[in-house]
Amino acid sequence: MLSGIQPTGRFHWGNYFGAIRQYIELQDAGEAFYFIADLHALTTVREPERLRGFVRDAAIDLVALGLDPERATLFVQSDVPEVAELTWLLMTVTPMGLLERCHAYKDKKARGLTADAGLFTYPVLMAADILAYDADVVPVGEDQVQHIEVCRDLAGTFNHLYGDTIFRLPKPRLVDGAAKVPGTDGQKMSKSYENTLDVFEGLPAQKKKIMRITTDSRSMEEPKDPQQDHLYQLFSLVGSEKEVAEMAELYRRGGFGYGDVKKAVVAAANEAFATARERRCELESNPSKIDEILAVGAERARAVAGNVLERAREACGLRGSSTRGRNQ
Ligand code: ADP
Ligand code: TRP
């Protein structure tokens, strides 16, 4: 099992409840590899210091949120240079038309913006990420399913040309699409809409944002369907089962104030992430710990990716490791 997460900002509730939490739960279901996709992030983050910070924060956040480096392999994409070489091999069997249909590139072009070759070939790098670790299952959100199909397509073509057993064909595993987390304005939570609640932001700042969440204009006396209200939806992510059931009842009955619901969201969020916050503080106070985790992860990942790359190199006629580096 393998999945990657782009370090393009601090994780918000949408990232956590929509993706990360489910990836982490899967670490118990089999051998798991998780990486921080810094090469992909280079297509959008152009400030080196910010990128370095995002990568480090992503690693600390993931471990604090429960990714267990003893059970799962956590590493940084660019620490495995084999993947970049594999990308080239795959690029030689990638039809332009296939990439032209991929949404990140297509959307940017449709908005009249110029795209670079990095964005255009993004799905090929992603295919190399997946194939390099012989992944069977790739847990992703709906927006990434197209990229897994591209990956299967490229692996199939390469295998067809050079030998059936080179690449293992992966399958996507859709993480719960129902978990479309709303932002503070009721639209989908996203960095691009500036409506996020971040998992590890300071409590006073978070409280301020929660108290400013937009609410329904209907009078507080009217009964309401809780499922239609984004404040309730946010509460249901962080509240306990019992609290959430009680809150739903309150909505159906009517006669309550949104201010109280907001206070309940603040308290429940505080509680829900308390352990993760503590773990995060510990990791931050011991900076060599996270470096060590990433170094061990990179070593394990390189061992697997090295074998796969070797298979692919030899199959397509490049020199193998036994002949390379020798004076002949
Ligand atoms: P953003 O929209 O903030 O830029 P990303 O596109 O980086 O977020 O999201 C990374 C992953 O997090 C997505 O593939 C998706 O699975 C998940 N995700 C992001 N926002 C949400 C949301 N509001 N609800 C559910 N899942 C989300
Ligand atoms: N493109 C993915 C995203 O934006 C991140 C990613 C890169 C990825 N390589 C991957 C996900 C390989 C799964 C497998 O969310």
Side-chain angles (χ1 to χ4, degrees), residues 1-3 26-34 135-139 173:
M1 192 156 44
L2 164 123
S3 203
L26 286 169
Q27 74 190 353
D28 298 323
E31 191 185 354
F33 280 71
Y34 297 116
D136 293 309
V137 180
V138 185
R173 173 175 312 186

Side-chain angles (χ1 to χ4, degrees), residues 6 8 12 14-15 17-19 23 140-144 175 179-182 188-192 196:
Q6 281 201 62
T8 48
H12 54 68
N15 300 140
F17 292 105
Y23 298 169
V140 283
E142 219 170 72
D143 57 333
Q144 298 297 320
V175 294
K180 189 155 276 182
V181 177
K188 179 187 175 210
M189 186 178 287
S190 168
K191 280 190 290 295
S192 338
T196 62

Side-chain angles (χ1 to χ4, degrees), residues 70-273:
E70 301 283 323
R71 270 185 291 174
T73 298
L74 173 65
F75 60 101
V76 177
Q77 184 182 31
S78 64
D79 282 347
V80 186
E82 286 79 2
V83 165
E85 187 174 341
L86 193 54
T87 302
W88 177 257
L89 301 190
L90 292 171
M91 207 97 86
T92 63
V93 301
T94 307
M96 297 287 283
L98 188 66
L99 298 182
E100 274 158 5
R101 287 194 296 276
C102 285
H103 58 70
Y105 169 75
K106 212 165 103 186
D107 294 352
K108 193 151 185 183
K109 218 166 153 233
R111 282 187 284 141
L113 302 168
T114 53
D116 49 46
L119 185 74
F120 186 63
T121 55
Y122 179 114
V124 190
L125 175 58
M126 183 157 160
D129 283 331
I130 297 168
L131 300 174
Y133 306 102
D134 279 334
D136 293 309
V137 180
V138 185
V140 283
E142 219 170 72
D143 57 333
Q144 298 297 320
V145 173
Q146 183 186 42
H147 294 152
I148 315 285
E149 272 152 21
V150 170
C151 173
R152 289 175 58 88
D153 221 325
L154 301 185
T157 307
F158 202 95
N159 284 354
H160 180 71
L161 281 169
Y162 299 120
D164 278 343
T165 54
I166 304 163
F167 293 129
R168 199 118 122 198
L169 263 59
K171 287 206 175 67
R173 173 175 312 186
L174 257 192
V175 294
D176 185 7
K180 189 155 276 182
V181 177
T184 52
D185 57 358
Q187 294 187 78
K188 179 187 175 210
M189 186 178 287
S190 168
K191 280 190 290 295
S192 338
Y193 304 148
E194 294 184 19
N195 63 357
T196 62
L197 295 170
D198 296 344
V199 176
F200 290 108
E201 69 196 330
L203 293 175
Q206 180 153 89
K207 180 171 180 194
K208 217 179 212 173
K209 283 199 207 165
I210 292 174
M211 295 314 284
R212 284 203 202 121
I213 290 178
T214 55
T215 51
D216 197 305
S217 57
R218 282 174 304 170
S219 112
M220 298 184 305
E221 297 307 314
E222 271 177 67
K224 295 175 189 72
D225 177 0
Q227 301 304 340
Q228 301 296 322
D229 184 71
H230 57 275
L231 190 55
Y232 171 82
Q233 287 165 19
L234 288 170
F235 182 70
S236 68
L237 294 171
V238 286
S240 70
E241 211 174 306
K242 183 163 167 276
E243 288 169 335
V244 175
E246 283 167 7
M247 185 65 81
E249 203 34 52
L250 208 58
Y251 267 76
R252 287 192 206 99
R253 208 183 315 136
F256 65 96
Y258 283 121
D260 292 331
V261 187
K262 290 177 179 175
K263 281 187 199 140
V265 176
V266 173
N270 196 348
E271 170 90 20
F273 293 116

